């Protein structure tokens, strides 16, 4: 009883303080209506002050990349704040370069709209749409990766460039959070979107998507992203690991379907044979198209496997020539991408000709 009394008193004090804070926030943190000017008057809204800039955008149907769902950890939701917005917060600093800070670039999921603001975002984001979609099929393509195909209901079609991604709205505590997933289907398919999703234990978005069934509905925004093929004649060197195959599948299938005659390599690393997905499809493409070379590599040898074994970067050395005119398109675990960047730069590829999609 002697020990319990101070604990109960402490709890009562903490509880009362919390109530006072909520009331104080209601009474004094009223910012009223404020005006948000986007891209020098291209869009202008009156919003209720107090929400984040990202939320104000979303409420007014402006969708910008926000892959971590507003946690301040992806650094994707940048906007240039020209007026208003207050000082840069400690939660923004690690995600912004010195140059960006000088230019007034901010993380819109951290900035609060408390006064009239003038902001600038890339014009292309004003074209991004929100889609209502319905699941038309799901299947396991590896023990941990599911392929999910969605039929687009409203709008009925999407235009995107192979390599881009969408942001799925994942239900969370009565609200939604966004998670990014690369479009794995071909550019020529406009009425459907196919995603491949790796299940992350305890993961909000991946669990939600893995539990979807035929007929279920969901919403996503898009397309987003600059992981797209540059318009040059250089040899395309695609390097994928695990579920990182998703954007590269779309890239390879789209380029070949369009009759692009550039030389294309796809190096694909996985742990075991059952972790390789779309393997037969890619083999068939490599047989059909002289300019497409598919090189899967497993982590360790296996009696059922007569292909390459070992780190993708070691395997690549047997196929690529130093000094060749190449561009790299990488998507996979960060250590694999770092090693590939080192290898390609050593082979004479300029860093700006190496694009990568970082899922982490
Ligand atoms: C541009 C882009 C495209 C992407 N495309 C795809 C795609 O096509 N397919 C796909 O499956 N994913 C893709 N991702 C990753 C995806 O957006 C989610 O981050 C991933 O599904 C985990 O989200 P979650 O909500 O399930 O986990 P969360 O609830 O966010 O995280 C749960 C826990 O898992 C940890 N965690 C999160 N991600 C990983 C990971 N990758 N490995 C191990 N632990 C992790 C977290 O630290 C946390 O502790 C992409 C990401 C980006 C930025
Ligand atoms: S940092 Fe990810 S949404 Fe803002």
């Amino acid at each position: 009883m002697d020990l319990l009394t101070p604990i109960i008193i402490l709890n009562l004090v903490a509880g009362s303080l919390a109530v006072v804070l909520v009331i104080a926030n209601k009474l004094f943190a009223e910012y009223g209506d404020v005006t948000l000017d986007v891209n020098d008057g291209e869009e202008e809204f009156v919003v209720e002050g107090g929400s984040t800039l990202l939320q104000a955008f979303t409420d007014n149907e402006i969708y910008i990349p926000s892959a971590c769902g507003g946690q301040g950890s992806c650094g994707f939701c940048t906007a240039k704040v020209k007026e208003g917005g207050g000082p840069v917060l400690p939660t923004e600093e690690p995600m912004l370069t010195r140059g960006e800070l000088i230019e007034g670039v901010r993380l819109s999921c951290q900035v609060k709209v408390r006064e009239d603001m003038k902001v600038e975002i890339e014009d292309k984001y004003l074209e991004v749409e929100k889609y209502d979609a319905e699941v038309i099929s799901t299947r396991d393509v590896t023990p941990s990766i599911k392929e999910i195909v969605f039929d687009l209901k409203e709008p009925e079609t999407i235009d995107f460039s192979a390599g881009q991604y969408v942001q799925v709205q994942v239900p969370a505590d009565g609200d939604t959070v966004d998670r990014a997933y690369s479009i794995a289907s071909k550019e020529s398919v406009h009425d459907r979107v196919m995603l491949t999703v790796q299940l992350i234990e305890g993961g909000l978005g991946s669990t939600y998507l893995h539990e979807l069934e035929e007929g279920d509905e969901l919403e996503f925004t898009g397309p987003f992203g600059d992981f797209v093929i540059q318009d040059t004649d250089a040899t395309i060197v695609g390097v994928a690991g695990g579920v990182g195959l998703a954007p590269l599948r779309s890239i390879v299938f789209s380029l070949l379907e369009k009759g692009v005659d550039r030389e294309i390599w796809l190096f694909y690393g996985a742990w075991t044979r059952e972790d390789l997905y779309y393997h037969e499809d890619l083999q068939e493409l490599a047989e059909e198209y002289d300019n497409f070379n598919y090189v899967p590599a497993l982590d360790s040898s296996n009696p059922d496997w007569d292909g390459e074994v070992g780190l993708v970067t070691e395997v690549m050395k047997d196929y690529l020539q130093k000094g060749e005119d190449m561009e790299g398109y990488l998507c996979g675990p960060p250590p694999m991408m770092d090693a590939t960047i080192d290898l390609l730069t050593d082979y004479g590829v300029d860093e700006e000709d190496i694009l990568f999609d970082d899922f982490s």
Side-chain angles (χ1 to χ4, degrees):
M1 191 63 180
D2 276 346
L3 263 178
L4 269 181
T5 313
I7 293 173
I8 291 168
I9 292 172
L10 264 178
N11 275 333
L12 282 174
V13 172
S16 315
L17 268 177
V19 172
V20 169
L21 278 175
V22 170
I23 294 169
N25 199 39
K26 281 258 174 259
L27 288 178
F28 305 118
E30 283 290 344
Y31 302 102
D33 287 345
V34 295
T35 305
L36 185 58
D37 174 315
V38 185
N39 292 5
D40 289 327
E42 218 164 306
E43 302 275 354
E44 193 174 279
F45 313 107
V46 175
V47 300
E48 199 183 324
S51 72
T52 64
L53 181 56
L54 180 63
Q55 190 60 52
F57 282 151
T58 309
D59 291 346
N60 289 286
E61 295 174 1
I62 292 182
Y63 305 108
I64 66 168
S66 54
C68 71
Q71 294 172 58
S73 59
C74 70
F76 284 16
C77 62
T78 52
K80 196 187 273 183
V81 175
K82 293 159 81 179
E83 268 180 47
V88 176
L89 303 170
T91 46
E92 297 176 76
E93 273 173 15
M95 291 290 152
L96 299 170
T97 63
R98 214 175 127 64
E100 286 174 326
L101 288 168
I102 291 167
E103 280 182 11
V105 175
R106 306 284 302 268
L107 284 191
S108 66
C109 70
Q110 304 298 306
V111 177
K112 287 272 169 66
V113 183
R114 295 183 167 130
E115 57 191 324
D116 290 350
M117 288 179 74
K118 287 192 175 184
V119 299
E120 211 175 271
I121 56 172
E122 285 186 58
D123 278 330
K124 64 183 179 194
Y125 296 137
L126 297 176
E127 310 297 324
V128 168
E129 303 241 36
K130 183 177 188 172
Y131 291 84
D132 291 327
E134 183 182 319
V135 178
I136 51 168
S137 71
T138 73
R139 69 177 174 121
D140 292 325
V141 287
T142 78
S144 64
I145 299 175
K146 197 159 248 190
E147 174 199 274
I148 310 160
V149 182
F150 300 95
D151 185 33
L152 302 183
K153 295 287 177 201
E154 183 56 46
E156 290 176 356
T157 57
I158 186 168
D159 284 321
F160 70 98
S161 298
Q164 289 193 297
Y165 66 94
V166 294
Q167 288 187 176
V168 172
Q169 303 204 327
V170 178
D173 297 331
D175 204 349
T176 58
V177 292
D178 283 6
R179 290 288 184 274
Y181 293 95
S182 301
I183 303 174
S185 33
K186 292 186 287 191
E187 266 174 11
S188 61
V189 179
H190 297 285
D191 57 349
R192 289 179 180 184
V193 162
M194 185 170 91
L195 307 180
T196 54
V197 179
Q198 167 130 47
L199 183 64
I200 304 293
E201 207 172 316
L204 206 62
S206 58
T207 306
Y208 166 69
L209 287 164
H210 269 244
E211 286 175 354
L212 287 177
E213 290 174 2
E214 206 180 312
D216 285 346
E217 292 181 357
L218 98 174
E219 291 179 332
F220 63 76
T221 53
F224 297 106
D226 301 318
F227 185 68
V228 293
I229 296 294
Q230 308 303 297
D231 189 12
T232 71
D233 291 328
T235 295
I236 293 167
V237 181
V239 186
V243 77
L245 183 64
L248 283 155
R249 180 195 187 275
S250 177
I251 285 173
V252 166
F253 277 74
S254 303
L255 289 176
L256 294 177
E257 187 181 65
K258 283 195 285 197
V260 169
D261 59 4
R262 289 166 69 177
E263 193 174 353
I264 305 169
W265 288 86
L266 177 61
F267 296 93
Y268 179 32
W271 290 105
T272 66
R273 170 66 188 86
E274 61 177 8
D275 296 318
L276 283 179
Y277 67 114
Y278 301 131
H279 177 60
E280 282 80 15
D281 297 350
L282 291 164
Q283 276 182 322
E284 274 171 30
L285 281 186
E287 273 164 29
E288 189 180 343
Y289 292 91
D290 289 343
N291 62 324
F292 175 53
N293 310 279
Y294 169 55
V295 187
L298 295 187
D299 188 57
S300 53
S301 58
N302 182 310
D304 302 332
W305 180 250
D306 58 3
E308 298 288 353
V309 173
L311 290 177
V312 163
T313 36
E314 289 306 311
V315 170
M316 287 168 71
K317 290 179 187 163
D318 293 335
Y319 293 89
L320 302 179
Q321 304 295 320
K322 273 193 180 179
E324 220 182 299
D325 183 17
M326 296 183 278
E327 278 166 9
Y329 296 88
L330 328 179
C331 189
M336 188 205 85
M337 292 203 285
D338 289 345
T340 310
I341 293 169
D342 287 347
L343 178 86
L344 289 177
T345 47
D346 184 45
Y347 271 48
V349 183
D350 287 339
E351 276 200 35
E352 63 260 30
D353 292 331
I354 305 174
L355 273 67
F356 55 90
D357 215 9
D358 188 355
F359 283 7
S360 55

